């Protein structure tokens, strides 16, 4: 099987059988993002649990992403990307999640020339072909930017509560 075909199958599988779709409670923060160029939308919720600092706070990047849920509408790329994101980031620390986000963003900016790290990106490597189409990059990044915003909101809220 050709690699491009396999990648297309991964995207279609996540689109047809989305993981973690459906908004869940409880959650620490929620972000709603819209891609104005095509109308794709995602609402994403993040739940963080305290890191190993022992102080019970979620203040640092050592906090764990214990749950991500979302509701979305739009193209197969944006919806599949949200599904892949939930698989990749749930269970990681915030710092690890931000490193995965950085790797995925770099892949999306590679114009199809990137060499994705499969150990870091797992199924997200399937989006390498998307990076060749500037109009589709925003679709692939939509849920990732919502995750980043919701995570920052959650950390900011925890900081305010601790003050």
């Amino acid at each position: 099987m050709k690699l491009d075909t396999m990648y297309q199958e991964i995207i279609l599988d996540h689109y047809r059988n989305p993981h973690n779709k459906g908004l869940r409670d409880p959650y620490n923060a929620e972000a709603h993002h819209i891609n104005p160029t095509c109308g794709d939308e995602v609402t994403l919720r993040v739940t963080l649990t305290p890191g190993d600092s022992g102080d019970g706070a979620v203040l640092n990047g050592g906090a764990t992403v214990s749950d991500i849920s979302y509701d979305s509408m739009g193209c197969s790329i944006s919806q599949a990307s949200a599904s892949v994101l939930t698989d990749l980031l749930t269970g990681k620390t915030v710092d690890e999640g931000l490193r995965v986000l950085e790797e995925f963003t770099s892949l999306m900016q590679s114009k199809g020339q990137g060499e994705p790290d499969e150990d870091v990106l797992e199924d997200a490597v399937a989006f390498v072909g998307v990076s060749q189409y500037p109009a589709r990059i925003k679709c692939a990044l939509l849920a990732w930017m919502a995750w980043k915003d919701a995570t920052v909101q959650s950390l900011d809220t925890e900081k305010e509560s601790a003050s």
Side-chain angles (χ1 to χ4, degrees):
M1 179 183 281
K2 196 172 171 194
L3 195 57
D4 289 343
T5 304
M6 184 180 76
Y7 286 164
Q8 288 172 357
E9 286 299 317
I10 290 171
I11 292 171
L12 287 174
D13 184 52
H14 275 276
Y15 172 66
R16 291 178 185 137
N17 305 295
H19 302 178
N20 301 299
K21 189 167 185 177
L23 296 172
R24 288 189 292 275
D25 291 318
Y27 62 96
N28 297 106
E30 177 180 283
H32 180 78
H33 281 219
I34 300 171
N35 181 348
T37 57
C38 65
D40 290 354
E41 293 187 40
V42 66
T43 301
L44 187 138
R45 291 180 176 173
V46 172
T47 305
L48 303 180
T49 54
D52 293 332
S53 63
D55 60 6
V58 186
L59 293 177
N60 57 45
T64 300
V65 179
S66 55
D67 189 43
I68 304 169
S69 64
Y70 68 97
D71 191 22
S72 63
M73 59 180 251
C75 70
S76 59
I77 292 169
S78 69
Q79 293 193 55
S81 186
S83 175
V84 168
L85 171 143
T86 65
D87 286 349
L88 268 176
L89 301 186
T90 302
K92 291 192 174 2
T93 66
V94 170
D95 284 344
E96 290 167 338
L98 290 171
R99 283 193 290 278
V100 175
L101 169 63
E102 187 177 308
E103 184 77 22
F104 188 72
T105 302
S106 177
L107 175 65
M108 288 298 97
Q109 295 170 344
S110 73
K111 298 180 179 168
Q113 303 303 310
E115 292 293 329
D117 186 338
E118 291 184 42
D119 292 333
V120 173
L121 292 177
E122 299 176 19
D123 277 358
V125 299
F127 294 89
V128 67
V130 173
S131 69
Q132 298 174 59
Y133 305 100
R136 294 292 180 212
I137 293 170
K138 286 184 180 182
C139 299
L141 285 172
L142 188 65
W144 294 81
M145 295 301 105
W147 174 80
K148 182 179 178 183
D149 285 353
T151 299
V152 168
Q153 284 177 35
S154 181
L155 293 173
D156 287 347
T157 300
E158 185 67 26
K159 285 179 188 174
E160 289 171 12
S161 297
S163 300

